[in-house]
């Protein structure tokens, strides 16, 4: 625990509630194509809004490579719903209130930075549950979506 998963590692299946309160499994998303799972510290904050809106604005690019974008934070289902609605995000936001999935993938901080226990990290996950890329940047809000798309565009297509 506490060690971040790396390129080539397999991500175990998990289930969390989305912004509508519906239980969603990673395997359900991966059945449709690769997944870009991005962890953000807190909904409705400036950096997380900028990052999420950049993912939103690249919807056509991600659709082109068959990828599903999924945001994940410790926020409640209600706060995720408000965040999604306010910014018209158009992709699932998962609620990980106990940080269980963040811990599983290594996106949970051992020491909180202010109120934030979740690191800003993005995992590009292929249909076989293997990680294609991990993006670490707490300050470059656009680098997560940009790098994920770059990796998916260069991935051999079946």
């Amino acid at each position: 625990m506490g060690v971040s998963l790396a390129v080539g590692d397999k991500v175990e299946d998990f289930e969390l509630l989305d912004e509508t309160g519906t239980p969603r499994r990673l395997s359900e998303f991966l059945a449709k194509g690769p997944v870009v799972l991005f962890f953000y510290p807190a909904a409705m904050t400036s950096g997380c809004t900028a990052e999420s809106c950049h993912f939103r604005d690249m919807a056509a690019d991600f659709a082109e490579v068959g990828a599903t974008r999924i945001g994940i934070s410790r926020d409640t289902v209600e706060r995720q719903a408000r965040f999604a609605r306010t910014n018209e995000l158009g992709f699932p936001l998962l609620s990980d209130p106990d940080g269980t999935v963040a811990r599983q993938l290594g996106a949970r901080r051992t020491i909180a930075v202010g109120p934030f226990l979740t690191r800003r990290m993005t995992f590009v996950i292929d249909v076989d549950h293997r990680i294609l890329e991990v993006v670490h940047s707490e300050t470059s809000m656009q680098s997560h979506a940009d790098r994920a798309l770059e990796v998916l565009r260069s991935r051999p297509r079946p």
Side-chain angles (χ1 to χ4, degrees):
M1 293 290 195
V3 174
S4 181
L5 293 183
V7 172
D9 289 346
K10 196 168 183 180
V11 178
E12 294 301 318
D13 200 20
F14 61 80
E15 180 178 279
L16 292 172
L17 299 180
D18 70 10
E19 77 284 0
T20 70
T22 304
R24 305 294 291 269
R25 296 191 74 75
L26 176 63
S27 54
E28 152 200 347
F29 294 112
L30 289 172
K32 300 172 193 161
V35 164
V36 178
L37 183 67
F38 68 100
F39 286 87
Y40 54 95
M44 310 301 284
T45 59
S46 60
C48 298
T49 299
E51 178 184 24
S52 298
C53 288
H54 189 54
F55 271 104
R56 175 200 65 203
D57 295 345
M58 295 176 70
D61 298 296
F62 283 105
E64 197 176 271
V65 294
T68 300
R69 299 151 297 149
I70 303 170
I72 184 170
S73 73
R74 293 175 57 93
D75 293 291
T76 63
V77 168
E78 295 76 21
R79 189 166 172 92
Q80 296 286 42
R82 191 172 67 143
F83 189 42
R85 212 174 30 253
T86 300
N87 296 291
E88 299 176 350
L89 295 177
F91 53 80
L93 297 180
L94 303 181
S95 178
D96 185 23
D98 300 326
T100 304
V101 176
R103 195 176 300 110
Q104 177 185 325
L105 275 75
R108 172 112 189 233
R109 296 181 197 281
T110 50
I111 299 171
V113 175
F116 305 125
L117 284 168
T118 303
R119 293 185 175 129
R120 186 179 314 281
M121 290 177 75
T122 298
F123 295 85
V124 182
I125 308 167
D126 211 342
V127 294
D128 63 357
H129 287 248
R130 298 228 175 259
I131 296 174
L132 295 173
E133 182 68 290
V134 180
V135 183
H136 301 264
S137 178
E138 296 286 346
T139 57
S140 177
M141 304 313 159
Q142 294 194 345
S143 67
H144 292 263
D146 293 349
R147 179 65 186 140
L149 187 60
E150 198 179 293
V151 167
L152 288 166
R153 281 184 171 151
S154 66
R155 155 185 178 263
R157 300 285 300 260

